[in-house]
Amino acid sequence: MASPASRFTSAFRIANRRYPALRCATLSRARIGQDHIRSFASSPRWQIRTKEMNDDLLKDLKVNQGRLMEDIHYTCQWGTGERWGDAPTETGMSRLALSDADKAARDWFVQTTEALGCKVTIDAMGNIFAVRPGLRNDKPPTFVGSHLDTQPTGGRYDGILGVTAGVEMLKVFADNWVETEYPVGVVNWTNEEGARFPKSMVSSGVWAGDIPVEDAHNLREVHPGIATMASELKRIGYLGTTPASHEATPMAAHFELHIEQGPLLEMANKKIGVVTGVQAYKWFTVNVTGRDTHTGTTDLKSRADALLTASKMILHSHRLATANSALASTGILNLKPGSTNTVPGLVSFSLDIRAPKDTTVAKMKDLVLRDFPLIASGEDVDGSNHGCTPSLPLTVDIVEDFNSPTTTFHSDCITSVNQAAHHILGPNSHNLVMDMTSGAGHDSVYASKRCPTSMIFVPCREGVSHNPREFCKEVDCALGAQVLLESVVRFDRMRDERRVSWKQEPWTV
Amino acid sequence: MASPASRFTSAFRIANRRYPALRCATLSRARIGQDHIRSFASSPRWQIRTKEMNDDLLKDLKVNQGRLMEDIHYTCQWGTGERWGDAPTETGMSRLALSDADKAARDWFVQTTEALGCKVTIDAMGNIFAVRPGLRNDKPPTFVGSHLDTQPTGGRYDGILGVTAGVEMLKVFADNWVETEYPVGVVNWTNEEGARFPKSMVSSGVWAGDIPVEDAHNLREVHPGIATMASELKRIGYLGTTPASHEATPMAAHFELHIEQGPLLEMANKKIGVVTGVQAYKWFTVNVTGRDTHTGTTDLKSRADALLTASKMILHSHRLATANSALASTGILNLKPGSTNTVPGLVSFSLDIRAPKDTTVAKMKDLVLRDFPLIASGEDVDGSNHGCTPSLPLTVDIVEDFNSPTTTFHSDCITSVNQAAHHILGPNSHNLVMDMTSGAGHDSVYASKRCPTSMIFVPCREGVSHNPREFCKEVDCALGAQVLLESVVRFDRMRDERRVSWKQEPWTV
């Protein structure tokens, strides 16, 4: 019997090749050959085990940058968005959750992971779990995951990088005949963006037990549609029979690779962000009610102009955010009746408040609840009426739609990511890796409620995201995928070490 | 042969009855009897002539208040809007131009006026001209007119009162066997509101020669539709073969009864406004371009928030209006991409600027063109940045869509309205009648470019219009209709007096 090292090297040489036909399940199974396919029924022992890999061996477990980029751009054929440059890949994305384009991307994910020997489970929220067996399949898999849906004017990396990097990890494992101690999975979460069905991360939220599945199923697509999540899941064939629950589909850990979506890594010339947690945020809907009147015949003092008042509120929320080192943003605004010569009587807008600390978000909420009614009633709040004509009073109604407290990720996962990043980046790594807090919510927030979790951030150009121009360099995509892969291997190894030394697995649900 | 007075009184007695079946042309013709029907072919001379009416006779030519209200509310079955009270008539209107509901109201107008002996002409803009013959049918008719279309959340009086009062005038003439010296017409103008096809008063604009018919035909309905004016005119059968032109359908005068749509009459306890002109206004579209970015990951200084910037502009336009005794209003605002967690990169909003004087509107335009780009670039304009975080620069693009200079109505028409109002209101009339300028545009603005014009305003509750709660008391509707009727009779009489004394008709086109 050869030593583990030589077995690994040999397997690596044999298997390190491209699988161009992977997009078709039947074909790719044939190409790879049944002997390459891992299965839950039989696990031949001549493959390399993660526990046997030392750091040098780990170094050889290389992500294929070209293949990863090919997958990213190949899947971006479904839901192509606005063009921003001349190159074929210089378009944004518009792949709303559960649309036909999303279905096509999902089909690709199912076929590709099945071709790589995974067992695919679809739950009642359409979450797709692809699991590659390990040695101890009675235990929960170590998952990596993200989402394939995008914003209506989004880019090619947000979510997509995380899922395709997971698929690339499966390919590297297949190439190298890697045998993990525990099963490893890749999950595609449904409607992470909350752009079509207005609750972000809703499906990981159901999985975590924080959102009732009925509420999620009844979510209606944003104006002007009438479809619900349930009707669209059914329509595209992704209403699974497995309950959407951490009990039905347990995870030992959840790792997520994501573009930063902010400018900090780029500004600091860093390559990898080790994400230790996610900032707190709350979403509100603010309804301002005035009175529709004719723009030409109603003098300024006889108006109850809901849009003018909403403008004061939006500006004031920005001032409050400035004063409290928080973020305040309005991304949606609808008004009625919507005619050039009618003063709007009703304006409804979203308010997204974020800060690293729960206490700051709570304070911002208190200030908004105190000040918006004053502004509506016509009082001057911090100069909001400077230069204005006093008008008739309006009313405001503020509803809190969503609350995501500060999330702190798990030290075991953070350690795995940290070690992987420093190992991969070598001697200069201390200049290239930084700990950071995520400004955005991710499915990892809900995952972290039910299993150890961490995230890996890579820089994106000028911090721009939720925009067709969102861009992450190929080398950065690949580096992030490499850190993701190695984090999973390190975590898998750690699980086994603890099993041996502690005689237990703390993460088993 | 009896004296004119007794002939009139007799005719009045015989004909002063209700015509419940008037809504069906065939039936109503039969009810009224062919001998009552005026026609261009024969004009029996035994009817009362307007030139023979002294002020006492004029007093007996009474609008039937109940019948008028019945017509208003009957026609409001087509396009019923939001309910605001418990009574059957306490709902608003939503009758967009050239909709199925508008077609039903048009059909009623055509059938009813034809049943009253009118010749109906439909022009290429779907304007409907119903003309009751007079003695000299080679000369243009004296018209009254308004519109049957409404705002999407409009009321039962704006436009509708003017058209139904015209129909009531025809009924009173028929009841009383009135013989006018010149033909008298009622016109229903198409898409006055500009709510569905975004150019208000577009069809009187084409008639006046100010708007090319092709431009009007190509107007596309507002978001999210795809229909054009031409396609909808054709679809509902109102694309007439007569050119839409003041040459094809000349008018000797245009009188329009309308609710004030403002609070001035009510506040001053007046009953009738004699409208001497219309204030100037301009409509703009303002496009603010920033950058879509994630709300959670983009710090305030790295943003180019198009909605925050638009809010500053809307507020600033209000401040400029306050400082310049003008009006500034935003009734439409659209943004992209429209997601709670994406900072909008693009906002487009309407800006409606009005003032009694052209110079004031021009000054407001200059100030907007000076200040909006400064606000977009991040400069502080009159405290617009107070308490704000400096952000990335944005750009703004401002397009003038529509310009309506100050309109001065014709002294002959103003005199007719003024005399009619004082005659009807009697000795206390000086406390009940006031001259005023219209704040809103009306089809009378375009009519006034091609013929003598004036308007009559009646008070509406709290000045509210373009709102389901828009309300005009029955007695005020009837009083306005009475002034309208008498203004037409007085104008007709004046035309004849001038023909005799001047040997010419100055208004003949």
Side-chain angles (χ1 to χ4, degrees), chain A residues 151 153 261-262 279 291-297 303 307 318-319 322 329-331 335 337-339 341-342 344 352 354 382 386 389 439-440 462 464-467, chain B residues 151 153 261-262 279 291-297 303 307 318-319 322 329-331 335 337-339 341-342 344 352 354 382 386 389 439-440 462 464-467:
Chain A
Q151 287 284 324
T153 60
Q261 305 184 280
Q279 70 179 346
R291 197 170 66 173
D292 309 351
T293 44
H294 195 292
T295 58
T297 58
R303 297 182 176 200
L307 184 59
H318 171 82
R319 289 171 178 159
T322 299
S329 322
T330 294
L335 56 80
S339 182
N341 56 355
T342 303
D352 173 329
R354 309 202 188 208
D382 190 21
H386 161 67
T389 303
E462 295 172 30
V464 171
S465 182
H466 287 196
N467 185 302
Chain B
Q151 288 283 323
T153 58
Q261 306 184 282
Q279 71 179 347
R291 197 170 67 172
D292 309 350
T293 45
H294 195 293
T295 58
T297 57
R303 298 183 176 199
L307 184 58
H318 171 83
R319 288 171 179 159
T322 299
S329 322
T330 294
L335 55 80
S339 183
N341 55 355
T342 303
D352 173 329
R354 311 204 185 207
D382 190 20
H386 161 67
T389 303
E462 294 172 30
V464 171
S465 182
H466 287 195
N467 184 303

Coordinates of all heavy atoms in Angstrom, one line a residue, chain A residues 151 153 261-262 279 291-297 303 307 318-319 322 329-331 335 337-339 341-342 344 352 354 382 386 389 439-440 462 464-467, chain B residues 151 153 261-262 279 291-297 303 307 318-319 322 329-331 335 337-339 341-342 344 352 354 382 386 389 439-440 462 464-467:
Chain A
Q151 N -30.5 40.6 -7.7 CA -31.3 41.8 -7.7 C -31.8 42.1 -9.1 O -31.2 41.5 -10.1 CB -30.4 43.0 -7.3 CG -30.1 43.0 -5.8 CD -31.2 43.5 -5.0 OE1 -32.0 44.4 -5.3 NE2 -31.4 42.9 -3.8
T153 N -31.4 44.6 -10.9 CA -30.3 45.2 -11.7 C -29.0 44.8 -10.9 O -28.2 45.7 -10.5 CB -30.4 46.7 -11.9 OG1 -30.4 47.3 -10.6 CG2 -31.6 47.1 -12.7
Q261 N -19.0 43.6 -1.2 CA -20.1 44.5 -1.5 C -19.8 45.9 -0.9 O -20.8 46.7 -0.7 CB -21.4 44.0 -1.1 CG -21.8 42.6 -1.7 CD -23.2 42.2 -1.3 OE1 -23.4 41.7 -0.2 NE2 -24.1 42.3 -2.2
G262 N -18.6 46.1 -0.4 CA -18.3 47.4 0.2 C -16.8 47.7 -0.2 O -16.2 46.8 -0.8
Q279 N -23.5 43.0 10.9 CA -24.1 44.2 11.6 C -25.6 44.0 11.8 O -26.3 43.3 11.0 CB -23.7 45.5 11.0 CG -24.4 45.8 9.6 CD -24.0 47.1 9.1 OE1 -23.5 48.0 9.7 NE2 -24.3 47.3 7.8
R291 N -53.1 64.5 1.4 CA -54.4 64.7 0.6 C -54.0 65.0 -0.8 O -53.2 65.9 -1.1 CB -55.2 65.8 1.2 CG -56.6 65.8 0.8 CD -57.4 66.8 1.6 NE -57.0 68.2 1.3 CZ -57.7 69.2 1.7 NH1 -58.7 69.1 2.6 NH2 -57.3 70.4 1.4
D292 N -54.6 64.2 -1.7 CA -54.4 64.5 -3.2 C -55.1 65.8 -3.5 O -56.3 66.0 -3.2 CB -55.2 63.5 -4.1 CG -54.9 62.0 -3.8 OD1 -54.0 61.8 -2.9 OD2 -55.6 61.1 -4.3
T293 N -54.4 66.7 -4.1 CA -55.1 67.9 -4.5 C -54.4 68.4 -5.8 O -53.3 67.9 -6.2 CB -54.9 69.1 -3.5 OG1 -53.6 69.1 -3.0 CG2 -55.9 68.9 -2.4
H294 N -55.1 69.3 -6.5 CA -54.6 69.8 -7.8 C -53.3 70.7 -7.6 O -53.3 71.6 -6.7 CB -55.7 70.6 -8.5 CG -55.5 70.8 -9.9 ND1 -54.5 71.6 -10.4 CD2 -56.1 70.3 -11.0 CE1 -54.5 71.6 -11.7 NE2 -55.5 70.8 -12.1
T295 N -52.3 70.4 -8.4 CA -51.1 71.2 -8.2 C -51.2 72.7 -8.6 O -50.5 73.5 -8.1 CB -49.9 70.6 -9.1 OG1 -50.4 70.7 -10.5 CG2 -49.6 69.2 -8.7
G296 N -52.2 72.9 -9.5 CA -52.3 74.3 -10.0 C -53.2 75.2 -9.2 O -53.1 76.4 -9.2
T297 N -54.1 74.6 -8.4 CA -55.1 75.4 -7.8 C -55.0 75.4 -6.3 O -55.7 76.1 -5.6 CB -56.5 74.8 -8.1 OG1 -56.5 73.4 -7.7 CG2 -56.8 74.9 -9.6
R303 N -52.0 72.7 1.3 CA -51.6 71.3 0.9 C -51.3 70.4 2.0 O -51.0 70.9 3.1 CB -50.4 71.4 0.0 CG -50.6 72.2 -1.3 CD -49.4 72.1 -2.1 NE -49.6 72.8 -3.4 CZ -48.9 72.7 -4.5 NH1 -47.9 71.9 -4.5 NH2 -49.3 73.3 -5.6
L307 N -45.5 63.7 -0.6 CA -44.1 63.5 -1.1 C -43.2 64.5 -0.6 O -42.0 64.1 -0.3 CB -44.1 63.5 -2.7 CG -42.8 63.2 -3.3 CD1 -42.3 61.8 -2.9 CD2 -42.9 63.3 -4.8
H318 N -31.3 60.4 6.9 CA -29.9 60.4 6.6 C -29.1 61.3 7.6 O -28.0 60.9 8.0 CB -29.7 61.0 5.2 CG -28.3 61.4 4.8 ND1 -27.5 60.4 4.3 CD2 -27.6 62.5 4.9 CE1 -26.3 61.0 4.1 NE2 -26.3 62.2 4.4
R319 N -29.7 62.4 8.1 CA -29.0 63.2 9.1 C -28.9 62.4 10.4 O -27.9 62.5 11.1 CB -29.9 64.5 9.3 CG -29.8 65.4 8.2 CD -30.7 66.6 8.3 NE -30.6 67.5 7.2 CZ -31.5 68.3 6.8 NH1 -32.6 68.5 7.4 NH2 -31.3 69.1 5.7
T322 N -26.1 60.0 10.0 CA -24.8 60.7 10.1 C -24.4 61.0 11.5 O -23.3 60.8 12.0 CB -24.9 62.1 9.3 OG1 -25.2 61.8 7.9 CG2 -23.6 62.8 9.4
S329 N -31.2 54.1 4.7 CA -31.4 54.1 3.2 C -32.8 53.8 2.9 O -33.5 53.0 3.5 CB -30.5 53.0 2.6 OG -29.3 52.8 3.3
T330 N -33.3 54.5 1.8 CA -34.6 54.2 1.2 C -34.4 53.7 -0.2 O -33.8 54.4 -1.0 CB -35.5 55.5 1.3 OG1 -35.7 55.8 2.6 CG2 -36.8 55.2 0.5
G331 N -34.8 52.5 -0.4 CA -34.6 51.9 -1.7 C -35.9 51.7 -2.6 O -35.9 51.5 -3.8
L335 N -45.9 56.1 -4.7 CA -46.8 57.2 -4.3 C -48.2 57.1 -5.1 O -48.2 56.3 -6.1 CB -46.2 58.6 -4.6 CG -45.7 58.9 -6.0 CD1 -46.8 59.2 -7.0 CD2 -44.7 60.0 -6.0
P337 N -51.7 59.6 -6.3 CA -52.1 58.7 -7.4 C -51.1 58.7 -8.5 O -51.2 57.8 -9.4 CB -53.4 59.5 -7.9 CG -53.2 60.9 -7.6 CD -52.4 60.9 -6.3
G338 N -50.1 59.6 -8.6 CA -49.1 59.5 -9.6 C -49.5 60.2 -10.9 O -49.6 59.6 -12.0
S339 N -49.7 61.5 -10.8 CA -50.0 62.3 -12.0 C -49.3 63.6 -11.8 O -49.2 64.2 -10.7 CB -51.6 62.5 -12.0 OG -51.9 63.2 -13.1
N341 N -50.0 66.6 -12.4 CA -50.7 67.8 -11.8 C -51.6 67.4 -10.6 O -52.6 68.1 -10.3 CB -51.5 68.5 -12.9 CG -52.5 67.5 -13.6 OD1 -52.5 66.3 -13.3 ND2 -53.3 68.1 -14.4
T342 N -51.2 66.4 -9.9 CA -51.8 66.1 -8.6 C -50.8 65.9 -7.5 O -49.9 65.1 -7.6 CB -52.7 64.8 -8.7 OG1 -53.6 64.9 -9.8 CG2 -53.4 64.5 -7.4
P344 N -49.4 64.3 -4.5 CA -49.6 63.0 -4.0 C -50.2 63.0 -2.6 O -49.7 63.7 -1.7 CB -48.2 62.3 -4.0 CG -47.4 63.2 -4.9 CD -47.9 64.6 -4.8
D352 N -34.3 51.3 5.7 CA -33.3 50.3 6.0 C -32.3 50.9 7.0 O -31.6 51.8 6.5 CB -32.7 49.8 4.7 CG -31.6 48.8 4.9 OD1 -30.9 48.8 5.9 OD2 -31.4 47.9 4.0
R354 N -29.1 50.4 9.6 CA -28.0 49.4 10.0 C -27.0 50.1 10.9 O -26.7 51.2 10.7 CB -27.3 48.8 8.8 CG -28.3 48.3 7.8 CD -27.7 47.3 6.8 NE -28.7 47.0 5.8 CZ -28.7 45.9 5.1 NH1 -27.9 44.9 5.4 NH2 -29.6 45.7 4.2
D382 N -35.0 69.8 13.5 CA -33.6 70.1 13.0 C -33.6 70.8 11.7 O -32.9 70.4 10.8 CB -32.9 68.7 13.0 CG -31.4 68.9 12.8 OD1 -30.9 70.0 13.1 OD2 -30.7 68.0 12.3
H386 N -37.0 74.7 7.2 CA -36.3 75.9 6.8 C -36.7 76.3 5.4 O -36.5 75.6 4.4 CB -34.8 75.6 6.9 CG -34.0 76.6 6.1 ND1 -33.9 78.0 6.4 CD2 -33.2 76.5 4.9 CE1 -33.1 78.6 5.5 NE2 -32.7 77.7 4.6
T389 N -43.1 76.7 3.3 CA -44.5 77.2 3.7 C -45.1 76.2 4.6 O -45.2 75.1 4.3 CB -45.3 77.4 2.4 OG1 -44.7 78.2 1.5 CG2 -46.7 78.0 2.8
G439 N -21.6 44.1 6.3 CA -22.6 45.2 6.4 C -23.9 44.6 5.9 O -25.0 45.1 6.3
A440 N -23.9 43.7 5.0 CA -25.1 43.1 4.4 C -25.5 41.9 5.2 O -24.7 41.2 5.8 CB -24.8 42.7 3.0
E462 N -14.4 48.9 -6.4 CA -15.0 50.2 -5.9 C -16.1 49.9 -4.8 O -16.9 50.8 -4.5 CB -15.5 51.1 -7.0 CG -14.4 51.6 -7.9 CD -15.0 52.4 -9.1 OE1 -16.1 53.0 -8.9 OE2 -14.3 52.4 -10.1
V464 N -18.7 48.3 -5.3 CA -20.0 48.4 -5.9 C -20.7 47.0 -6.0 O -20.1 46.1 -6.4 CB -19.9 49.0 -7.3 CG1 -21.3 48.9 -8.1 CG2 -19.5 50.5 -7.2
S465 N -21.9 47.0 -5.5 CA -22.7 45.7 -5.7 C -24.2 46.1 -5.9 O -24.5 47.3 -5.8 CB -22.5 44.9 -4.4 OG -23.3 43.7 -4.5
H466 N -25.0 45.2 -6.1 CA -26.4 45.5 -6.5 C -26.4 46.4 -7.6 O -27.2 47.4 -7.7 CB -27.2 46.0 -5.3 CG -27.5 44.9 -4.3 ND1 -28.4 45.1 -3.3 CD2 -27.0 43.7 -4.1 CE1 -28.5 44.0 -2.5 NE2 -27.6 43.1 -3.0
N467 N -25.6 46.2 -8.6 CA -25.4 47.0 -9.7 C -24.8 46.2 -10.8 O -24.0 45.3 -10.6 CB -24.4 48.2 -9.3 CG -24.2 49.2 -10.4 OD1 -23.8 48.9 -11.5 ND2 -24.5 50.4 -10.1
Chain B
Q151 N -59.0 61.9 -13.5 CA -57.7 61.4 -13.0 C -57.9 59.9 -12.5 O -59.1 59.5 -12.3 CB -57.4 62.2 -11.7 CG -56.9 63.6 -12.1 CD -55.4 63.7 -12.6 OE1 -54.6 62.9 -12.1 NE2 -55.2 64.5 -13.6
T153 N -57.5 58.8 -9.6 CA -58.2 58.8 -8.3 C -58.9 60.2 -8.2 O -58.6 61.0 -7.3 CB -57.3 58.6 -7.1 OG1 -56.3 59.6 -7.1 CG2 -56.7 57.3 -7.1
Q261 N -61.5 74.0 -8.0 CA -60.3 73.1 -7.6 C -59.3 73.8 -6.7 O -58.2 73.3 -6.6 CB -59.6 72.6 -8.9 CG -60.5 71.9 -9.9 CD -59.7 71.4 -11.1 OE1 -59.3 72.2 -12.0 NE2 -59.5 70.1 -11.1
G262 N -59.8 74.8 -6.1 CA -59.0 75.5 -5.1 C -59.9 76.1 -4.0 O -61.1 76.0 -4.2
Q279 N -53.2 81.0 -15.0 CA -51.8 81.2 -14.7 C -50.9 80.4 -15.6 O -51.2 79.4 -16.2 CB -51.5 80.9 -13.2 CG -51.6 79.4 -12.8 CD -51.3 79.2 -11.4 OE1 -50.8 80.1 -10.7 NE2 -51.5 78.0 -10.9
R291 N -25.6 56.0 -8.3 CA -25.1 54.6 -8.5 C -25.8 53.7 -7.6 O -25.9 54.0 -6.4 CB -23.6 54.6 -8.2 CG -22.9 53.4 -8.7 CD -21.4 53.6 -8.6 NE -21.0 53.6 -7.2 CZ -19.7 53.6 -6.8 NH1 -18.7 53.6 -7.7 NH2 -19.4 53.6 -5.6
D292 N -26.3 52.6 -8.1 CA -27.0 51.5 -7.3 C -25.9 50.9 -6.4 O -24.9 50.4 -7.0 CB -27.5 50.4 -8.1 CG -28.4 50.8 -9.2 OD1 -28.8 52.0 -9.3 OD2 -28.8 49.9 -10.0
T293 N -26.1 50.9 -5.1 CA -25.1 50.1 -4.3 C -25.9 49.5 -3.1 O -27.0 49.9 -2.8 CB -24.0 51.1 -3.7 OG1 -24.7 52.3 -3.2 CG2 -23.0 51.4 -4.7
H294 N -25.2 48.6 -2.5 CA -25.9 47.9 -1.4 C -26.0 48.8 -0.2 O -25.1 49.5 0.2 CB -25.0 46.6 -1.0 CG -25.7 45.6 -0.2 ND1 -26.1 45.9 1.1 CD2 -26.1 44.4 -0.5 CE1 -26.7 44.8 1.6 NE2 -26.7 43.9 0.7
T295 N -27.2 48.7 0.4 CA -27.5 49.6 1.6 C -26.7 49.3 2.8 O -26.5 50.1 3.7 CB -29.0 49.6 2.0 OG1 -29.3 48.2 2.3 CG2 -29.9 50.1 0.9
G296 N -26.3 48.0 2.9 CA -25.7 47.6 4.2 C -24.2 47.7 4.1 O -23.5 47.7 5.2
T297 N -23.6 47.7 2.9 CA -22.1 47.6 2.8 C -21.5 48.9 2.3 O -20.3 49.0 2.3 CB -21.8 46.5 1.8 OG1 -22.4 46.8 0.6 CG2 -22.2 45.1 2.3
R303 N -21.5 56.7 -1.2 CA -22.7 56.6 -1.9 C -22.9 57.7 -3.0 O -22.4 58.8 -2.8 CB -23.9 56.6 -1.0 CG -23.9 55.5 0.0 CD -25.2 55.5 0.9 NE -25.2 54.4 1.8 CZ -26.2 53.9 2.4 NH1 -27.4 54.5 2.3 NH2 -26.1 52.8 3.2
L307 N -32.0 58.9 -4.6 CA -33.3 59.3 -4.0 C -33.0 60.4 -2.9 O -33.8 61.3 -2.7 CB -34.0 58.1 -3.4 CG -35.3 58.4 -2.7 CD1 -36.3 59.0 -3.7 CD2 -35.9 57.1 -2.1
H318 N -39.6 73.4 -3.4 CA -40.7 74.0 -2.6 C -40.2 75.3 -1.9 O -41.0 76.3 -1.8 CB -41.1 73.0 -1.5 CG -42.0 73.5 -0.4 ND1 -43.3 73.6 -0.6 CD2 -41.7 74.0 0.8 CE1 -43.9 74.1 0.5 NE2 -42.9 74.4 1.4
R319 N -38.9 75.3 -1.5 CA -38.4 76.5 -0.9 C -38.3 77.7 -1.9 O -38.6 78.8 -1.6 CB -37.0 76.3 -0.3 CG -37.0 75.4 0.9 CD -35.6 75.0 1.3 NE -35.7 74.2 2.5 CZ -34.8 73.3 2.9 NH1 -33.7 73.2 2.2 NH2 -34.9 72.6 4.0
T322 N -41.8 79.0 -2.4 CA -42.1 79.8 -1.2 C -41.5 81.2 -1.4 O -42.2 82.2 -1.2 CB -41.7 79.2 0.1 OG1 -42.3 77.9 0.2 CG2 -42.0 80.0 1.3
S329 N -44.5 71.5 -7.6 CA -45.1 70.3 -7.1 C -44.5 69.1 -7.9 O -44.2 69.2 -9.1 CB -46.6 70.3 -7.4 OG -47.2 71.5 -7.2
T330 N -44.3 68.0 -7.1 CA -43.9 66.8 -7.8 C -45.0 65.7 -7.6 O -45.3 65.4 -6.4 CB -42.6 66.3 -7.2 OG1 -41.6 67.2 -7.5 CG2 -42.2 64.9 -7.7
G331 N -45.6 65.3 -8.7 CA -46.7 64.3 -8.6 C -46.3 62.9 -9.0 O -47.0 62.0 -8.7
L335 N -38.2 55.3 -9.4 CA -36.8 55.0 -9.1 C -36.4 53.6 -9.6 O -37.2 52.8 -9.8 CB -36.5 55.2 -7.6 CG -37.4 54.4 -6.6 CD1 -36.8 53.0 -6.4 CD2 -37.3 55.1 -5.2
P337 N -33.1 50.6 -8.8 CA -33.9 49.4 -9.2 C -35.1 49.2 -8.4 O -36.0 48.4 -8.8 CB -32.9 48.3 -9.1 CG -32.0 48.7 -8.0 CD -31.9 50.2 -8.0
G338 N -35.2 49.7 -7.2 CA -36.4 49.5 -6.4 C -36.4 48.3 -5.5 O -37.1 47.3 -5.7
S339 N -35.4 48.3 -4.6 CA -35.2 47.1 -3.7 C -34.8 47.7 -2.3 O -34.0 48.6 -2.3 CB -34.2 46.2 -4.2 OG -34.0 45.1 -3.4
N341 N -32.9 46.9 0.0 CA -31.5 46.9 0.3 C -30.5 47.4 -0.8 O -29.4 47.0 -0.8 CB -31.0 45.6 0.9 CG -31.3 44.4 0.0 OD1 -31.9 44.7 -1.1 ND2 -30.9 43.3 0.3
T342 N -31.1 48.2 -1.7 CA -30.2 48.8 -2.8 C -30.5 50.3 -2.8 O -31.6 50.7 -2.9 CB -30.6 48.2 -4.1 OG1 -30.4 46.8 -4.1 CG2 -29.6 48.7 -5.2
P344 N -30.9 53.5 -4.5 CA -31.4 53.8 -5.9 C -30.3 54.6 -6.7 O -29.8 55.6 -6.2 CB -32.6 54.6 -5.7 CG -33.1 54.4 -4.3 CD -31.9 54.2 -3.5
D352 N -43.7 70.5 -11.6 CA -44.8 71.3 -12.1 C -44.6 72.7 -11.4 O -44.8 72.8 -10.2 CB -46.1 70.6 -11.8 CG -47.4 71.4 -12.1 OD1 -47.3 72.7 -12.0 OD2 -48.4 70.8 -12.4
R354 N -45.8 76.7 -11.4 CA -46.9 77.6 -11.8 C -46.8 79.0 -11.1 O -46.3 79.1 -9.9 CB -48.2 77.1 -11.5 CG -48.4 75.6 -11.9 CD -49.8 75.3 -12.1 NE -49.9 73.8 -12.4 CZ -50.8 73.3 -13.2 NH1 -51.8 74.0 -13.7 NH2 -50.8 72.0 -13.4
D382 N -28.5 76.6 0.0 CA -29.4 77.1 1.0 C -29.7 76.0 2.1 O -30.8 75.7 2.5 CB -30.8 77.4 0.3 CG -31.7 78.2 1.3 OD1 -31.2 78.7 2.3 OD2 -32.9 78.2 1.0
H386 N -27.3 70.5 5.3 CA -27.2 70.6 6.7 C -27.3 69.2 7.4 O -28.3 68.5 7.2 CB -28.3 71.5 7.2 CG -28.6 71.4 8.7 ND1 -27.7 71.8 9.7 CD2 -29.7 70.9 9.4 CE1 -28.2 71.5 10.9 NE2 -29.4 71.0 10.7
T389 N -23.9 63.7 5.4 CA -22.6 63.2 5.1 C -22.3 63.5 3.7 O -23.1 63.2 2.8 CB -22.5 61.7 5.3 OG1 -22.9 61.3 6.6 CG2 -21.1 61.2 5.0
G439 N -55.9 78.5 -11.6 CA -54.6 77.9 -11.2 C -54.3 76.7 -12.1 O -53.2 76.4 -12.4
A440 N -55.4 76.1 -12.6 CA -55.2 74.9 -13.4 C -55.3 75.2 -14.9 O -55.9 76.2 -15.2 CB -56.3 73.8 -13.0
E462 N -63.6 72.5 0.4 CA -62.2 72.7 0.9 C -61.2 72.8 -0.2 O -60.0 72.6 0.0 CB -61.8 71.5 1.8 CG -62.6 71.4 3.1 CD -62.4 70.1 3.8 OE1 -61.3 69.5 3.7 OE2 -63.3 69.6 4.5
V464 N -60.7 70.9 -2.6 CA -60.1 69.6 -2.9 C -60.5 69.1 -4.3 O -61.7 69.1 -4.6 CB -60.5 68.5 -1.9 CG1 -60.0 67.1 -2.3 CG2 -59.8 68.9 -0.5
S465 N -59.6 68.8 -5.1 CA -59.9 68.2 -6.4 C -58.8 67.2 -6.8 O -57.9 67.0 -6.0 CB -59.9 69.3 -7.5 OG -60.2 68.8 -8.8
H466 N -59.0 66.4 -7.9 CA -58.1 65.3 -8.2 C -58.0 64.4 -7.0 O -57.0 63.9 -6.6 CB -56.7 65.8 -8.5 CG -56.7 66.4 -9.9 ND1 -55.5 66.7 -10.6 CD2 -57.7 66.9 -10.7 CE1 -55.8 67.2 -11.8 NE2 -57.1 67.4 -11.9
N467 N -59.2 64.1 -6.4 CA -59.3 63.3 -5.2 C -60.7 62.8 -5.2 O -61.6 63.5 -5.6 CB -59.1 64.2 -4.0 CG -59.1 63.5 -2.7 OD1 -60.0 62.9 -2.3 ND2 -58.0 63.6 -1.9

